[in-house]
Amino acid sequence: MTRKRIAISGPSITDLEVAYVAEAARTAWFQNANLFQDRFEKAFADYIGVGHAISLPSCTAGLHLSLAAMGVGPGDEVIVPEITWIATAAPVVYLGATPVFADVDPESWCLSAESFERAITPRTKAVIPVDLYGNLPDMAAIRAIAERRGIRVIEDSAEAIGSSQHGRRAGSFGETGTFSFHGSKTMTTGEGGMVVTDDPALYARMQVLRDHGRRPGDVAFFNSEVAYKYKMTAMQAAMGIAQLERLPELVTAKRRRFRYYRDALANVPYLTVNSEGPDTFNTYWMVTVIWDGDVGLDKAEVMAALDARGIDTRPFFHPLSSLPAFADSPDRARAQKANTVSYDLSPRGINLPCGDGVEEAEIAYVAEQLRDVLERMPKRRRA
Ligand SMILES: Cc1ncc(COP(=O)(O)O)c(C=O)c1O
């Protein structure tokens, strides 16, 4: 019998999403063109527990707007964690500012508060803590340092819808918070994103920046400044409304899949799975394993072996300062030396299949194959 390939992630789409999207396609035009976006934004802001939300084509757009609204530009530095998707740092570069790479914490795999503080210079304007794979960094510590040093905070919650810490939702810890609804995410609109804030001034500024610089009350087509065009369609918003209604169910399923993996791998002593810190609720967007250093295998080798067995995986993020994209970064040499935790973890980790439809039997199979691969492959002990 040939096994179906096990995909890394995929959405849960029901008749509810299809019905709402069909309704938007039929009705959301002319004077109704923004009704679904307005409903989605209101429901999303209420869910996160903040005053305002702006629906966008991507989370990257939300990060770009946040930085632009805070006035980040040439000469400024913005601190980002080494371990994240490039989208956290790319908008810093769009604005002519410099990303500075800080190390992650060995337990949470998220931005280390100590490393953040060490990376601060007189040019530091903002920090972007990332809620990696659904987990959160020590937000109280990061916020305290930022406040003391006069640094703006943008929370990149692309991967953490539904997570929380000390009873507060992910995305509500910064002056702005950003979310992704890419097809791989816990809730999706195909592509899409949201930026949230409690600050009326930032909200007003981001509304102008995302609409080609049009200000309320402007003479029609007589723009005040050059800005951006970042809007979500009504069809995407309709799908988002349905997914948000189903979010408790989607989060429960994510946590269930993580539990199955944790239990199936509990007897493999050299593997560590995602952590859930004190007073943190982790929605485990990506179930991730890190193997001990003395296993001596590289993630690319393990991924290729699992691929041959019909299992899709993804690499634990490469440190940003190691990417060719940042070859000319002024912070590269310092970061590569300083960020030892990121450089130690990254070669030893992969994400496992954990999207909709991957349930107990597949998880048992993946766990068994992973163990087999790690035990059979010739081990090269590290120097
Ligand atoms: C941590 C992080 N930040 C930002 C993004 C960007 O999201 P989008 O693709 O919606 O722009 C992602 C998406 O994968 C992400 O994982």
Side-chain angles (χ1 to χ4, degrees):
M1 186 185 82
T2 52
R3 246 180 189 280
K4 187 165 108 255
R5 269 197 88 72
I6 304 179
I8 183 81
S9 65
S12 165
I13 302 298
T14 65
D15 289 348
L16 188 72
E17 285 80 3
V18 173
Y20 286 9
V21 174
E23 189 192 339
R26 274 195 292 268
T27 66
W29 307 103
F30 307 109
Q31 72 275 19
N32 294 332
N34 290 313
L35 286 187
F36 282 86
Q37 293 92 324
D38 292 347
R39 266 176 61 199
F40 186 30
E41 289 169 359
K42 172 84 181 60
F44 197 86
D46 287 350
Y47 176 79
I48 302 299
V50 292
H52 310 281
I54 304 175
S55 55
L56 299 168
S58 68
C59 177
T60 307
L63 293 161
H64 190 189
L65 286 177
S66 299
L67 291 161
M70 290 173 185
V72 169
D76 293 331
E77 292 176 354
V78 176
I79 296 175
V80 298
E82 282 275 14
I83 301 297
T84 181
W85 175 228
I86 191 170
T88 308
V92 177
V93 179
Y94 301 166
L95 291 164
T98 302
V100 168
F101 310 107
D103 211 354
V104 297
D105 175 84
E107 297 287 317
S108 71
W109 308 334
C110 297
L111 179 66
S112 141
E114 294 74 33
S115 180
F116 157 44
E117 185 152 34
R118 277 198 301 275
I120 295 170
T121 76
R123 290 167 183 257
T124 307
K125 184 103 177 219
V127 60
I128 312 181
V130 175
D131 302 332
L132 194 81
Y133 303 142
N135 201 16
L136 279 83
D138 182 346
M139 283 297 184
I142 289 169
R143 279 161 51 108
I145 295 163
E147 201 165 305
R148 190 158 24 87
R149 307 290 294 265
I151 293 166
R152 321 278 315 246
V153 180
I154 298 165
E155 184 182 358
D156 182 348
S157 297
E159 305 178 355
I161 181 76
S163 298
S164 59
Q165 195 172 72
H166 298 293
R168 276 175 77 157
R169 294 253 195 242
S172 69
F173 289 93
E175 290 168 75
T176 69
T178 61
F179 293 87
S180 173
F181 309 129
H182 176 261
S184 66
K185 294 297 191 292
T186 302
M187 71 170 262
T188 186
T189 60
E191 293 278 359
M194 193 76 83
V195 62
V196 299
T197 184
D198 251 336
D199 181 331
L202 280 176
Y203 175 63
R205 184 68 187 135
M206 290 193 291
Q207 288 284 35
V208 172
L209 287 172
R210 66 91 155 245
D211 188 26
H212 279 313
R214 289 201 275 194
R215 294 178 185 162
D218 268 2
V219 173
F221 296 171
F222 202 69
N223 307 57
S224 324
E225 61 187 299
V226 174
Y228 314 104
K229 173 69 188 292
Y230 283 152
K231 290 198 169 183
M232 174 180 269
T233 67
M235 280 82 76
Q236 287 171 297
M239 181 170 285
I241 293 166
Q243 291 265 286
L244 191 60
E245 286 178 14
R246 295 185 50 235
L247 190 60
E249 173 199 331
L250 301 176
V251 165
T252 301
K254 277 282 183 199
R255 286 180 61 88
R256 184 174 65 235
R257 284 179 214 119
F258 173 75
R259 257 196 335 271
Y260 288 150
Y261 271 114
R262 190 195 53 200
D263 295 350
L265 294 169
N267 60 353
V268 190
Y270 48 83
L271 281 182
T272 305
V273 294
N274 314 54
S275 67
E276 189 173 47
D279 291 310
T280 300
F281 180 82
N282 187 342
T283 46
Y284 303 111
W285 169 57
M286 277 284 156
V287 175
T288 302
V289 288
I290 302 275
W291 47 91
D292 289 353
D294 58 8
V295 170
L297 296 171
D298 185 78
K299 61 189 172 190
E301 300 169 287
V302 177
M303 289 175 67
L306 289 171
D307 181 63
R309 297 171 186 218
I311 299 167
D312 281 345
T313 58
R314 284 181 178 184
F316 193 83
F317 288 119
H318 309 282
L320 289 181
S321 67
S322 73
L323 301 183
F326 292 112
D328 298 329
S329 164
D331 191 46
R332 184 176 171 98
R334 183 207 64 85
Q336 289 189 350
K337 257 221 252 67
N339 298 332
T340 51
V341 177
S342 302
Y343 276 86
D344 173 49
L345 286 176
S346 172
R348 310 189 267 122
I350 55 172
N351 307 133
L352 299 175
C354 54
D356 187 61
V358 178
E359 287 300 341
E360 203 167 0
E362 278 97 352
I363 289 171
Y365 173 76
V366 173
E368 192 186 299
Q369 297 307 310
L370 175 64
R371 193 182 316 129
D372 192 58
V373 162
L374 288 169
E375 278 168 14
R376 268 173 205 257
M377 281 176 83
K379 308 206 179 359
R380 285 176 287 94
R381 289 200 172 258
R382 285 149 180 263

